[in-house]
Amino acid sequence: MYTKELLPGLDPKKPLIICGPCSAETEEQVLDTAHQLASYGAKVFRAGIWKPRTKPGGFEGVGVKGLPWLKRVKEETGMYVSTEVATKAHVEAALEAGVDLLWIGARTAANPFAMQEIADTLAASGKDVPVLVKNPVNPDLELWIGAIQRIQNAGVKRVGAIHRGFSAYGKHLYRNMPQWHIPIELGRRMPDIPIICDPSHIGGKRELIAPLSQQAFDMGFDGLIIESHCNPDEAWSDASQQVTPEVLNLIINSLVPRNGAKPDSTESLTLLRQEIDRLDNELVDLLGKRMRICREIGLYKKEHGMKVVQGARYSDMMKSREELAREMEMSDEFIRRVYAAIHEESVRQQIEVFKK
Ligand code: PEP
Ligand code: MN
């Protein structure tokens, strides 16, 4: 039996709130942020000591030298402390330093070898520490479940999950797309584990923290992990998504918690409609991208003296799209009408290119 209660002494009826800077930068920054957060009633502090960065050359975290700073946070504020681990060495150092809760980042959760290494290290440590597993960067529920199971199989009893959104190519409103149906399905498949939401990494922008957090509560998430920094604009990582402890306190006080209750039917309808809105945004975005490519093709055809419409290509394309649509339980007739409209607009856009 896995418990939803991750840390002793916290009210299990209240949402779990983990907060603190993206990265531990200096001892002063960590302590200043922690004291401010504690003064607003924060109970669980976060700070990344080892930072997985997309490209080399970025700030990759202060490493083990930051662990005594977390120890000071514990001693001086009484908060629990948490950090991200990605390797055996990280787990060993964090446990040695008395870190109370570990989380596994999205890039690591996508790597079964790394997950197994972490799980084996936890099993060998003989220590009983709660572990939260972020969703992998790619929207693969089975990979996420597999990562969680590796930790559970290591004998860790207090395991939870964090929804931090999924990578998508190109520019979007969100830094990482919140595909809510995935954590919702995770909750259905693993009802005993707490699932919390990370609005900072989903939104990537300060102003999205409050609406995403409320949405998460409305959907019955068990808590939030939010980045907060004493001087957000000067943060060494993720500056645009961090807020001061004061602002974080305002945000949290503005939220309406739902005590983990599942949404009622009107709320479910609202959530489903929000999902439809999101998918429609994606649909229009995708169509826009498709048209842009059509214009490039138009330019190529113009430069090579080719005709706009290539009949054979259209028939081949339609055949494969109809097959796909059938697999997705849509009628051939429907997809033919959709494609006739898309094709008509593509041709119109290419003709515009020819006219120039
Ligand atoms: C983080 O929490 O600072 C972090 C690196 O998150 P993610 O793994 O979600 O990108
Ligand atoms: Mn971050």
Side-chain angles (χ1 to χ4, degrees), residues 19-247:
C19 51
C22 177
S23 303
E25 299 162 4
T26 65
E27 189 162 15
E28 295 66 39
Q29 166 253 1
V30 168
L31 270 298
D32 183 5
T33 309
H35 277 286
Q36 289 191 48
L37 288 168
S39 77
Y40 291 115
K43 300 276 185 268
V44 191
F45 184 73
R46 65 151 281 158
I49 297 284
W50 300 281
K51 301 301 299 176
R53 304 314 296 271
T54 302
K55 295 213 176 103
F59 170 59
E60 298 197 321
V62 291
V64 287
K65 107 170 174 219
L67 290 169
W69 309 344
L70 292 185
K71 237 182 186 162
R72 268 192 74 188
V73 169
K74 259 175 95 150
E75 285 160 9
E76 293 179 21
T77 69
M79 283 191 286
Y80 287 114
V81 295
S82 64
T83 199
E84 174 173 340
V85 289
T87 66
K88 180 173 194 270
H90 296 169
V91 175
E92 286 174 348
L95 292 180
E96 177 65 30
V99 172
D100 302 291
L101 178 147
L102 306 176
W103 83 80
I104 292 159
R107 294 155 191 82
T108 309
N111 178 348
F113 289 127
M115 286 308 306
Q116 195 54 50
E117 179 183 305
I118 292 167
D120 292 344
T121 314
L122 286 163
S125 77
K127 293 206 172 114
D128 175 29
V129 68
V131 179
L132 301 180
V133 182
K134 287 198 170 196
N135 63 257
V137 278
N138 51 325
D140 184 339
L141 176 61
E142 300 309 321
L143 192 59
W144 194 3
I145 291 178
I148 294 167
Q149 286 172 339
R150 284 176 201 275
I151 300 297
Q152 288 178 328
N153 290 349
V156 177
K157 291 279 176 288
R158 291 171 293 163
V159 183
I162 303 175
H163 174 223
R164 51 76 81 192
F166 301 91
S167 299
Y169 181 69
K171 259 190 139 7
H172 299 273
L173 167 64
Y174 301 108
R175 178 177 176 195
N176 292 294
M177 308 303 277
Q179 302 198 34
W180 298 105
H181 57 285
I182 297 179
I184 287 170
E185 177 61 10
L186 175 71
R188 204 185 60 77
R189 298 261 300 268
M190 303 185 109
D192 294 328
I193 70 163
I195 308 179
I196 71 169
C197 179
D198 177 344
S200 310
H201 289 91
I202 292 178
K205 298 179 197 77
R206 283 166 203 158
E207 57 277 20
L208 291 177
I209 294 174
L212 284 166
S213 300
Q214 187 60 56
Q215 212 170 341
F217 279 173
D218 294 348
M219 291 196 209
F221 277 74
D222 299 294
L224 301 166
I225 176 166
I226 305 183
E227 289 187 340
S228 174
H229 189 291
C230 55
N231 191 359
D233 287 331
E234 300 303 320
W236 298 1
S237 60
D238 290 352
S240 58
Q241 69 192 35
Q242 302 206 59
V243 288
T244 59
E246 188 185 359
V247 169

